[in-house]
Amino acid sequence: MTDTKPVIKLHNTKTRQKEVFTPIDAENVRMYVCGPTVYDRAHLGNARPVVVFDVLNRLLRHVYGDEYVKYVRNFTDVDDKINARAAESGRSIGEITDETIQWFLDDMGALGALEPDHMPRATQFIPQMVSMIKSLIDKGFAYSKPISYGHNSRAVYFNAEKAPEHAFFRVDKDDGYGQLSGRSLDEMIAGSRAELGEGKENPMDFVLWKPSNIDEPGWESPWGLGRPGWHIECSAMAKALLGDTFDIHGGGLDLQFPHHENEIAQSCCANDTDEMARYWLHNEMLQVEGKKMSKSLGNFFTVHDLLEQGVPGEVIRFVFLSTHYRKPMDWTEKRAKEAEATLRKWRLLTQNIEPAEEIDELMLHRLADDLNTPHAITELHRLAQGVDFEGDDLAVLKASAQLLGLLTDDLGGWVNPVSNVSERIDRLVEGLMSERFQAREHKLFERADAIRDGLKNAGVIVKDEGNSYSYEFSSDFDPAKLEALK
């Protein structure tokens, strides 16, 4: 064990290689992660980046100190999906977004995710977005175009005297556009078609501001009543809370293009900087039983669904961390059951043990190597196998697991507590051995053999010595299996 702080290495999407993490300011380490669009329950795929970057947040705080790390994750609370949900439900947009945000926080809390330092809502930063768009237009990086009404449809746009305008970013004015995703021109043009708008100069230009009709939320702007495009919100909020340039920007791989590509373009051009964030991290997508999660396949479910079915949040977290964040993760029932068995064993071992002040050195270095949580978990298994049921060993196991957000007090309600681990284990073994002797005495050999085999399967090695016996624990001792023999 050691107090030595590890060298953190992260795979930077921007450079496509693993790099030593060097913060811009070690006393002001800043990370921004794209959060959810709040119109419905978070599905399992939504939760993966939350857990991944929660672990990175914990690691940064361990290395640099709580007071020197600032973590921001936003809520997108202005979006066409939210508008549609309000229209179909008859509820107000504010009511839907407030409820959905609380759902999200409750569900992510059940997975052991710490709340970020700041959780801004897009609607709280409209003035900053308008200011950034004006700056981009003034510098020639963006332009506005009046909407073409047609068919006397002016009434749907607040009876405006002046035609509302779209504002677009000029992609061809940014020489660095496309470097994050590494996509070809044809691929980027295809990806941009999802954001069609009237009056684009270039099919790749993307929306910064769009008009709102009478059924949609709108704010006053130089381009009439309207609302921001999706990408501008993160640029404005990151600038306001973290500055023009910060250390880490994260999110799911699906956000790499066009969202993050567009963020970089508008932020660098508006702020006159060479970079928005120094390190870009993206987690891979999630599958269910080897297939892409989709409603049509019947394998789509939310975090809330799993929790309601009795799957502990800690188990969900463990399954997530069992796969490296840059690899596709497959959620299977088998993996969930294995995770539950492992956590039950570790919780029994560490019950009533205070976590150590130090973290296991090897486990910490595994984690610092580009968040290699599978290797870190392997080290936890090694620690669990090597314990001699003394407090020091168990305390290090518990402290090391808690750096991953596991074995915390908040997540332990699903496991029945025991009073004293070593006492409990000894009492179980002694009771089973007593029952075995009685079974042999009464010639109930089948029961005696079943107890012997059960103890062996649980990792208890029994040595018969005439009318007495001794026992020891093998490296794969599993107290959960021992409990099941009662």
Side-chain angles (χ1 to χ4, degrees):
M1 310 315 134
T2 181
D3 286 327
T4 303
K5 301 302 182 184
V7 175
I8 298 176
K9 296 179 182 179
L10 301 173
H11 186 274
N12 192 346
T13 306
K14 184 170 65 174
T15 62
R16 292 164 182 76
Q17 61 185 7
K18 191 188 299 185
E19 301 175 354
V20 172
F21 174 68
T22 305
I24 298 169
D25 179 357
E27 295 188 354
N28 186 20
V29 181
R30 291 158 288 167
M31 178 169 69
Y32 186 97
V33 175
C34 289
T37 300
V38 287
Y39 67 97
D40 206 347
R41 288 275 188 186
H43 61 69
L44 205 56
N46 299 142
R48 192 180 188 194
V50 174
V51 173
V52 166
F53 291 102
D54 178 67
V55 172
L56 179 54
N57 178 43
R58 290 170 184 268
L59 177 62
L60 292 172
R61 292 176 186 277
H62 178 78
V63 173
Y64 295 97
D66 282 336
E67 67 272 32
Y68 300 126
V69 176
K70 186 182 292 186
Y71 175 25
V72 177
R73 187 185 65 222
N74 73 294
F75 288 112
T76 296
D77 62 344
V78 53
D79 183 88
D80 289 345
K81 291 179 180 178
I82 301 172
N83 301 340
R85 182 57 54 88
E88 69 187 29
S89 67
R91 302 172 69 198
S92 71
I93 287 173
E95 185 180 1
I96 290 172
T97 56
D98 285 348
E99 177 182 65
T100 308
I101 286 173
Q102 193 57 54
W103 282 349
F104 182 85
L105 293 176
D106 290 345
D107 289 346
M108 297 309 108
L111 304 188
L114 303 173
E115 290 193 358
D117 299 289
H118 299 278
M119 295 184 288
R121 300 188 186 197
T123 53
Q124 298 170 335
F125 287 81
I126 300 295
Q128 290 88 337
M129 297 180 208
V130 170
S131 176
M132 183 171 279
I133 296 169
K134 287 174 62 178
S135 174
L136 289 167
I137 292 175
D138 291 344
K139 294 175 180 179
F141 292 112
Y143 58 95
S144 61
K145 290 284 186 178
I147 187 171
S148 175
Y149 285 109
H151 305 294
N152 297 316
S153 59
R154 179 174 298 180
V156 302
Y157 289 100
F158 298 97
N159 294 310
E161 293 295 326
K162 174 179 177 289
E165 297 179 344
H166 277 96
F168 299 102
F169 183 89
R170 282 192 175 100
V171 169
D172 58 9
K173 289 289 186 180
D174 179 20
D175 295 336
Y177 192 81
Q179 291 182 3
L180 178 69
S181 61
R183 296 192 175 205
S184 67
L185 180 62
D186 289 342
E187 287 175 316
M188 289 192 291
I189 290 174
S192 70
R193 288 173 184 159
E195 262 200 336
L196 296 175
E198 298 189 44
K200 277 190 180 185
E201 296 176 354
N202 182 319
M204 288 203 304
D205 293 349
F206 57 87
V207 175
L208 298 171
W209 189 265
K210 52 189 173 183
S212 294
N213 65 39
I214 55 176
D215 297 320
E216 297 168 328
W219 289 264
E220 290 285 356
S221 79
W223 316 285
L225 278 159
R227 60 197 192 279
W230 175 31
H231 315 298
I232 194 68
E233 66 176 69
C234 289
S235 288
M237 288 188 283
K239 176 182 173 70
L241 296 170
L242 299 178
D244 291 352
T245 303
F246 51 94
D247 297 298
I248 299 170
H249 196 313
L253 188 62
D254 56 324
L255 300 180
Q256 184 181 352
F257 184 87
H259 186 50
H260 288 166
E261 196 78 73
N262 293 351
E263 280 187 55
I264 293 172
Q266 60 201 11
S267 291
C268 291
C269 291
N271 301 332
D272 298 318
T273 59
D274 293 330
E275 59 184 9
M276 178 186 184
R278 182 166 290 182
Y279 304 88
W280 289 80
L281 274 69
H282 294 92
N283 65 273
E284 256 284 6
M285 298 296 99
L286 177 139
Q287 298 175 327
V288 176
E289 302 290 349
K291 297 180 181 180
K292 182 178 179 180
M293 186 170 68
S294 71
K295 291 181 179 178
S296 62
L297 293 175
N299 65 351
F300 180 95
F301 45 86
T302 67
V303 173
H304 183 70
D305 291 336
L306 285 180
L307 296 173
E308 287 289 290
Q309 292 166 17
V311 180
E314 188 174 29
V315 169
I316 300 172
R317 184 183 186 93
F318 189 100
V319 174
F320 281 171
L321 298 183
S322 297
T323 299
H324 192 275
Y325 78 93
R326 289 196 297 110
K327 293 183 178 180
M329 196 214 85
D330 191 16
W331 173 272
T332 68
E333 186 175 346
K334 178 183 177 183
R335 297 184 74 184
K337 289 180 178 177
E338 290 172 348
E340 181 173 345
T342 296
L343 288 168
R344 191 179 298 278
K345 171 182 175 179
W346 291 354
R347 280 202 169 272
L348 183 58
L349 287 173
T350 60
Q351 185 72 44
N352 299 325
I353 298 292
E354 287 297 316
E357 294 183 2
E358 296 179 351
I359 305 296
D360 179 75
E361 181 178 7
L362 190 52
M363 177 269 180
L364 182 57
H365 283 271
R366 297 284 193 238
L367 184 60
D369 184 14
D370 194 29
L371 297 184
N372 199 326
T373 53
H375 284 181
I377 287 174
T378 297
E379 295 307 317
L380 295 182
H381 280 292
R382 177 184 59 80
L383 287 171
Q385 290 173 355
V387 297
D388 58 6
F389 309 113
E390 295 297 328
D392 290 346
D393 290 340
L394 296 174
V396 171
L397 170 62
K398 192 168 190 175
S400 302
Q402 287 186 349
L403 186 58
L404 295 179
L406 301 170
L407 303 190
T408 62
D409 292 341
D410 291 342
L411 295 185
W414 63 280
V415 177
N416 293 328
V418 296
S419 57
N420 181 287
V421 176
S422 58
E423 225 175 82
R424 172 81 164 171
I425 289 170
D426 285 337
R427 192 163 62 247
L428 280 172
V429 174
E430 297 286 352
L432 287 164
M433 288 302 297
S434 175
E435 184 183 349
R436 178 170 175 252
F437 274 112
Q438 290 180 26
R440 289 170 63 179
E441 185 176 334
H442 291 88
K443 297 183 179 181
L444 301 173
F445 299 117
E446 187 175 344
R447 175 56 181 162
D449 290 346
I451 295 173
R452 178 201 61 201
D453 294 342
L455 288 168
K456 182 179 179 180
N457 186 49
V460 181
I461 302 172
V462 177
K463 297 179 181 179
D464 287 313
E465 300 169 354
N467 292 326
S468 63
Y469 64 90
S470 63
Y471 62 88
E472 60 186 28
F473 299 100
S474 67
S475 61
D476 59 351
F477 171 66
D478 188 339
K481 290 181 179 178
L482 187 63
E483 288 274 355
L485 295 175
K486 290 188 298 181

